Amino acid sequence: MAAKFELKKSQNDKFVFNLVAPNGQVVLTSELYESRASALNGIESVRKNAPVGGRFGRLCAKNGSPYFTLKAANGQVIGQSQMYSGEKAREGGIESVQAHAPHAALDDQTAAN
C-alpha cells in the first residue's frame, strides 16, 4: 500500500485528515477544519513542510510518552503524531512523514458522509 492522506468529516461536520504510512499506521493527524477547502490547504502545507527537519517539534506527554508535531513556516501546528513507546519509535514516525507526505495520494472520504 502506498502512503495516503485520508480526508474525513468528523461527527460535528468538521474536516480532519490523517497521513497513513504504507504499513497502514496513522503517522500524523490534523486539527479540525471548518471547511473542506481549509483541510485541503492543510494537506498541501504538510506536503510542503514535511521535508524540512526543523519544522518538527519533539515533545513528551504528561505520562512521558514521546510524540511530535509538524509546524508550518508561520509556526502553526499543522499535524500531530500519536504517542510512541520511545524516542527511537518517534524518530521513525518523523522519518516516515518526511519520506511519504510530499508524494502521498489523497483519499477523499468526505463525499461519502
Side-chain angles (χ1 to χ4, degrees), residues 58-60 64 66 84-94:
R58 290 160 172 84
L59 306 158
C60 286
Y84 287 96
S85 58
E87 291 180 13
K88 184 176 180 185
R90 175 180 63 195
E91 292 305 311
I94 291 171

Side-chain angles (χ1 to χ4, degrees), residues 17-82:
F17 63 83
N18 291 314
L19 175 59
V20 181
N23 65 2
Q25 292 290 319
V26 173
V27 289
L28 191 76
T29 301
S30 74
E31 64 180 343
L32 290 174
Y33 291 93
E34 294 293 329
S35 70
R36 182 177 174 276
S38 295
L40 291 172
N41 285 339
I43 289 170
E44 287 309 310
S45 185
V46 169
R47 286 180 172 145
K48 179 178 162 186
N49 289 287
V52 183
R55 300 272 162 82
F56 289 88
R58 290 160 172 84
L59 306 158
C60 286
K62 288 181 182 176
N63 68 0
S65 297
Y67 69 101
F68 66 85
T69 58
L70 175 61
K71 293 183 179 181
N74 65 4
Q76 181 180 353
V77 173
I78 51 178
Q80 180 176 310
S81 73
Q82 74 223 22

